Amino acid sequence: MTPRFFAALLLLGVAAALRLPQQQTFMLRRAALQQSAAAAAAAALLAAPAQALDKAEFAKAVADKREAERVAALPASRLKTLRDSLANDAPALLEAGDWGKLRNAIVAARKSTGALVAETKRDLRPLTKALDAQLYSLDEFAYSQEAVMPGMFSGYCAQGVVPRDEPGACKVRPTADLKAQSAKLKEAVATFDKLLAEVK
């Protein structure tokens, strides 16, 4: 007889006793207390497997979270996060001309890559130097585009504005070769992939 089956029988017995007519409920106080204790024991037996399961699931969730945090803190994982930011976010920022955010992504990669590679105890200086040079070139381009943003201080016209032929008029903003920069970005991501292959 399983604990759950036994508990069910106890609960059925208590329920049957509670349905007796009022004139037949002359049981002694001690018997009533015994029935209450039996009902509590039955409820505990029914709930125990669910509680044990909940504890097991909670322990597994805690263990999974700790393992995920451990993996995320590894140098290889943090390098991959930087690489994914360049591969997934930077192309759209370049196309949209969002030079500030693009520079932030590039600077974050340049600032952290060398230190993270050093944590792996691997001598990957040729790859880190190549990557840094590629990222520096992209950052330099983004900075140059910030300098020619339309506005009073730069002197360049806003998009669609035709400059007037008079002193003090705005100047036509130079056209940027985004295709060339997009190719450079892909080269930087490819170098990052080589770096990741070495630290895994």
Side-chain angles (χ1 to χ4, degrees), residues 141-161:
F141 170 77
Y143 176 76
S144 71
Q145 293 306 297
E146 284 184 322
V148 297
M149 290 291 288
M152 181 176 63
F153 296 105
S154 68
Y156 290 102
C157 301
Q159 187 174 0
V161 174

PDB file of all heavy atoms in Angstrom, residues 141-161:
ATOM      1  N   PHE A 141      37.513  56.362 -38.946  1.00  0.00           N
ATOM      2  CA  PHE A 141      36.510  56.749 -39.939  1.00  0.00           C
ATOM      3  C   PHE A 141      35.258  57.308 -39.259  1.00  0.00           C
ATOM      4  O   PHE A 141      34.731  58.353 -39.667  1.00  0.00           O
ATOM      5  CB  PHE A 141      36.139  55.555 -40.814  1.00  0.00           C
ATOM      6  CG  PHE A 141      34.956  55.804 -41.696  1.00  0.00           C
ATOM      7  CD1 PHE A 141      35.084  56.559 -42.853  1.00  0.00           C
ATOM      8  CD2 PHE A 141      33.701  55.310 -41.362  1.00  0.00           C
ATOM      9  CE1 PHE A 141      33.978  56.820 -43.659  1.00  0.00           C
ATOM     10  CE2 PHE A 141      32.597  55.555 -42.160  1.00  0.00           C
ATOM     11  CZ  PHE A 141      32.738  56.317 -43.314  1.00  0.00           C
ATOM     12  N   ALA A 142      34.781  56.599 -38.228  1.00  0.00           N
ATOM     13  CA  ALA A 142      33.580  57.058 -37.522  1.00  0.00           C
ATOM     14  C   ALA A 142      33.812  58.434 -36.904  1.00  0.00           C
ATOM     15  O   ALA A 142      32.922  59.296 -36.929  1.00  0.00           O
ATOM     16  CB  ALA A 142      33.183  56.044 -36.451  1.00  0.00           C
ATOM     17  N   TYR A 143      35.000  58.653 -36.371  1.00  0.00           N
ATOM     18  CA  TYR A 143      35.319  59.955 -35.784  1.00  0.00           C
ATOM     19  C   TYR A 143      35.310  61.051 -36.849  1.00  0.00           C
ATOM     20  O   TYR A 143      34.818  62.161 -36.614  1.00  0.00           O
ATOM     21  CB  TYR A 143      36.688  59.898 -35.110  1.00  0.00           C
ATOM     22  CG  TYR A 143      37.152  61.229 -34.562  1.00  0.00           C
ATOM     23  CD1 TYR A 143      36.617  61.731 -33.381  1.00  0.00           C
ATOM     24  CD2 TYR A 143      38.120  61.980 -35.233  1.00  0.00           C
ATOM     25  CE1 TYR A 143      37.025  62.968 -32.876  1.00  0.00           C
ATOM     26  CE2 TYR A 143      38.543  63.212 -34.739  1.00  0.00           C
ATOM     27  CZ  TYR A 143      37.996  63.694 -33.568  1.00  0.00           C
ATOM     28  OH  TYR A 143      38.405  64.910 -33.080  1.00  0.00           O
ATOM     29  N   SER A 144      35.841  60.731 -38.028  1.00  0.00           N
ATOM     30  CA  SER A 144      35.867  61.725 -39.110  1.00  0.00           C
ATOM     31  C   SER A 144      34.455  62.083 -39.557  1.00  0.00           C
ATOM     32  O   SER A 144      34.192  63.225 -39.941  1.00  0.00           O
ATOM     33  CB  SER A 144      36.669  61.184 -40.299  1.00  0.00           C
ATOM     34  OG  SER A 144      35.965  60.137 -40.967  1.00  0.00           O
ATOM     35  N   GLN A 145      33.540  61.108 -39.463  1.00  0.00           N
ATOM     36  CA  GLN A 145      32.154  61.384 -39.847  1.00  0.00           C
ATOM     37  C   GLN A 145      31.435  62.226 -38.803  1.00  0.00           C
ATOM     38  O   GLN A 145      30.565  63.026 -39.136  1.00  0.00           O
ATOM     39  CB  GLN A 145      31.403  60.065 -40.073  1.00  0.00           C
ATOM     40  CG  GLN A 145      31.893  59.278 -41.269  1.00  0.00           C
ATOM     41  CD  GLN A 145      31.893  60.108 -42.539  1.00  0.00           C
ATOM     42  OE1 GLN A 145      30.839  60.557 -42.995  1.00  0.00           O
ATOM     43  NE2 GLN A 145      33.066  60.343 -43.116  1.00  0.00           N
ATOM     44  N   GLU A 146      31.818  62.060 -37.553  1.00  0.00           N
ATOM     45  CA  GLU A 146      31.259  62.923 -36.515  1.00  0.00           C
ATOM     46  C   GLU A 146      31.655  64.378 -36.747  1.00  0.00           C
ATOM     47  O   GLU A 146      30.883  65.300 -36.468  1.00  0.00           O
ATOM     48  CB  GLU A 146      31.754  62.474 -35.131  1.00  0.00           C
ATOM     49  CG  GLU A 146      31.072  61.232 -34.600  1.00  0.00           C
ATOM     50  CD  GLU A 146      31.523  60.890 -33.199  1.00  0.00           C
ATOM     51  OE1 GLU A 146      32.720  61.054 -32.896  1.00  0.00           O
ATOM     52  OE2 GLU A 146      30.680  60.453 -32.392  1.00  0.00           O
ATOM     53  N   ALA A 147      32.850  64.572 -37.289  1.00  0.00           N
ATOM     54  CA  ALA A 147      33.362  65.926 -37.500  1.00  0.00           C
ATOM     55  C   ALA A 147      32.634  66.653 -38.623  1.00  0.00           C
ATOM     56  O   ALA A 147      32.675  67.895 -38.692  1.00  0.00           O
ATOM     57  CB  ALA A 147      34.855  65.885 -37.798  1.00  0.00           C
ATOM     58  N   VAL A 148      31.985  65.902 -39.514  1.00  0.00           N
ATOM     59  CA  VAL A 148      31.280  66.545 -40.636  1.00  0.00           C
ATOM     60  C   VAL A 148      29.760  66.425 -40.493  1.00  0.00           C
ATOM     61  O   VAL A 148      29.026  66.541 -41.473  1.00  0.00           O
ATOM     62  CB  VAL A 148      31.734  65.957 -42.000  1.00  0.00           C
ATOM     63  CG1 VAL A 148      33.192  66.239 -42.240  1.00  0.00           C
ATOM     64  CG2 VAL A 148      31.437  64.457 -42.077  1.00  0.00           C
ATOM     65  N   MET A 149      29.304  66.196 -39.267  1.00  0.00           N
ATOM     66  CA  MET A 149      27.856  66.155 -39.048  1.00  0.00           C
ATOM     67  C   MET A 149      27.263  67.533 -39.341  1.00  0.00           C
ATOM     68  O   MET A 149      27.881  68.562 -39.031  1.00  0.00           O
ATOM     69  CB  MET A 149      27.552  65.766 -37.599  1.00  0.00           C
ATOM     70  CG  MET A 149      27.877  64.310 -37.274  1.00  0.00           C
ATOM     71  SD  MET A 149      26.775  63.147 -38.080  1.00  0.00           S
ATOM     72  CE  MET A 149      25.279  63.404 -37.143  1.00  0.00           C
ATOM     73  N   PRO A 150      26.079  67.591 -39.938  1.00  0.00           N
ATOM     74  CA  PRO A 150      25.470  68.890 -40.235  1.00  0.00           C
ATOM     75  C   PRO A 150      25.247  69.699 -38.962  1.00  0.00           C
ATOM     76  O   PRO A 150      24.933  69.153 -37.912  1.00  0.00           O
ATOM     77  CB  PRO A 150      24.128  68.509 -40.871  1.00  0.00           C
ATOM     78  CG  PRO A 150      24.297  67.101 -41.334  1.00  0.00           C
ATOM     79  CD  PRO A 150      25.249  66.465 -40.379  1.00  0.00           C
ATOM     80  N   GLY A 151      25.439  70.995 -39.069  1.00  0.00           N
ATOM     81  CA  GLY A 151      25.214  71.845 -37.905  1.00  0.00           C
ATOM     82  C   GLY A 151      25.975  73.155 -38.013  1.00  0.00           C
ATOM     83  O   GLY A 151      26.794  73.363 -38.917  1.00  0.00           O
ATOM     84  N   MET A 152      25.699  74.037 -37.075  1.00  0.00           N
ATOM     85  CA  MET A 152      26.292  75.369 -37.092  1.00  0.00           C
ATOM     86  C   MET A 152      27.803  75.308 -36.911  1.00  0.00           C
ATOM     87  O   MET A 152      28.546  76.049 -37.535  1.00  0.00           O
ATOM     88  CB  MET A 152      25.655  76.207 -35.975  1.00  0.00           C
ATOM     89  CG  MET A 152      26.181  77.631 -35.894  1.00  0.00           C
ATOM     90  SD  MET A 152      25.291  78.581 -34.640  1.00  0.00           S
ATOM     91  CE  MET A 152      25.719  77.665 -33.158  1.00  0.00           C
ATOM     92  N   PHE A 153      28.280  74.389 -36.067  1.00  0.00           N
ATOM     93  CA  PHE A 153      29.707  74.356 -35.771  1.00  0.00           C
ATOM     94  C   PHE A 153      30.514  73.690 -36.882  1.00  0.00           C
ATOM     95  O   PHE A 153      31.653  74.075 -37.150  1.00  0.00           O
ATOM     96  CB  PHE A 153      29.954  73.639 -34.439  1.00  0.00           C
ATOM     97  CG  PHE A 153      29.354  74.351 -33.269  1.00  0.00           C
ATOM     98  CD1 PHE A 153      28.203  73.871 -32.666  1.00  0.00           C
ATOM     99  CD2 PHE A 153      29.922  75.525 -32.785  1.00  0.00           C
ATOM    100  CE1 PHE A 153      27.638  74.536 -31.589  1.00  0.00           C
ATOM    101  CE2 PHE A 153      29.352  76.201 -31.704  1.00  0.00           C
ATOM    102  CZ  PHE A 153      28.205  75.703 -31.108  1.00  0.00           C
ATOM    103  N   SER A 154      29.950  72.683 -37.541  1.00  0.00           N
ATOM    104  CA  SER A 154      30.693  72.013 -38.615  1.00  0.00           C
ATOM    105  C   SER A 154      30.639  72.806 -39.918  1.00  0.00           C
ATOM    106  O   SER A 154      31.541  72.725 -40.743  1.00  0.00           O
ATOM    107  CB  SER A 154      30.126  70.606 -38.852  1.00  0.00           C
ATOM    108  OG  SER A 154      28.816  70.684 -39.391  1.00  0.00           O
ATOM    109  N   GLY A 155      29.555  73.551 -40.115  1.00  0.00           N
ATOM    110  CA  GLY A 155      29.413  74.324 -41.346  1.00  0.00           C
ATOM    111  C   GLY A 155      28.849  73.538 -42.503  1.00  0.00           C
ATOM    112  O   GLY A 155      28.712  74.067 -43.619  1.00  0.00           O
ATOM    113  N   TYR A 156      28.489  72.260 -42.277  1.00  0.00           N
ATOM    114  CA  TYR A 156      27.950  71.438 -43.367  1.00  0.00           C
ATOM    115  C   TYR A 156      26.429  71.486 -43.388  1.00  0.00           C
ATOM    116  O   TYR A 156      25.770  71.597 -42.340  1.00  0.00           O
ATOM    117  CB  TYR A 156      28.419  69.990 -43.225  1.00  0.00           C
ATOM    118  CG  TYR A 156      29.893  69.825 -43.505  1.00  0.00           C
ATOM    119  CD1 TYR A 156      30.816  69.692 -42.470  1.00  0.00           C
ATOM    120  CD2 TYR A 156      30.373  69.815 -44.813  1.00  0.00           C
ATOM    121  CE1 TYR A 156      32.166  69.554 -42.728  1.00  0.00           C
ATOM    122  CE2 TYR A 156      31.730  69.678 -45.087  1.00  0.00           C
ATOM    123  CZ  TYR A 156      32.614  69.547 -44.036  1.00  0.00           C
ATOM    124  OH  TYR A 156      33.960  69.420 -44.297  1.00  0.00           O
ATOM    125  N   CYS A 157      25.871  71.379 -44.582  1.00  0.00           N
ATOM    126  CA  CYS A 157      24.425  71.435 -44.754  1.00  0.00           C
ATOM    127  C   CYS A 157      23.757  70.160 -44.263  1.00  0.00           C
ATOM    128  O   CYS A 157      24.343  69.076 -44.311  1.00  0.00           O
ATOM    129  CB  CYS A 157      24.066  71.628 -46.232  1.00  0.00           C
ATOM    130  SG  CYS A 157      24.756  73.119 -46.977  1.00  0.00           S
ATOM    131  N   ALA A 158      22.521  70.300 -43.810  1.00  0.00           N
ATOM    132  CA  ALA A 158      21.717  69.129 -43.468  1.00  0.00           C
ATOM    133  C   ALA A 158      21.339  68.395 -44.747  1.00  0.00           C
ATOM    134  O   ALA A 158      21.409  68.948 -45.856  1.00  0.00           O
ATOM    135  CB  ALA A 158      20.469  69.558 -42.712  1.00  0.00           C
ATOM    136  N   GLN A 159      20.945  67.123 -44.591  1.00  0.00           N
ATOM    137  CA  GLN A 159      20.595  66.322 -45.753  1.00  0.00           C
ATOM    138  C   GLN A 159      19.438  66.963 -46.530  1.00  0.00           C
ATOM    139  O   GLN A 159      18.418  67.332 -45.944  1.00  0.00           O
ATOM    140  CB  GLN A 159      20.214  64.911 -45.309  1.00  0.00           C
ATOM    141  CG  GLN A 159      19.987  63.950 -46.481  1.00  0.00           C
ATOM    142  CD  GLN A 159      19.744  62.528 -45.996  1.00  0.00           C
ATOM    143  OE1 GLN A 159      19.740  62.278 -44.796  1.00  0.00           O
ATOM    144  NE2 GLN A 159      19.568  61.621 -46.923  1.00  0.00           N
ATOM    145  N   GLY A 160      19.608  67.087 -47.837  1.00  0.00           N
ATOM    146  CA  GLY A 160      18.573  67.653 -48.688  1.00  0.00           C
ATOM    147  C   GLY A 160      18.646  69.155 -48.862  1.00  0.00           C
ATOM    148  O   GLY A 160      17.929  69.716 -49.696  1.00  0.00           O
ATOM    149  N   VAL A 161      19.518  69.816 -48.109  1.00  0.00           N
ATOM    150  CA  VAL A 161      19.647  71.275 -48.208  1.00  0.00           C
ATOM    151  C   VAL A 161      20.670  71.621 -49.300  1.00  0.00           C
ATOM    152  O   VAL A 161      21.779  71.083 -49.324  1.00  0.00           O
ATOM    153  CB  VAL A 161      20.093  71.890 -46.863  1.00  0.00           C
ATOM    154  CG1 VAL A 161      20.369  73.383 -47.021  1.00  0.00           C
ATOM    155  CG2 VAL A 161      19.024  71.646 -45.807  1.00  0.00           C
TER     156      VAL A 161
END
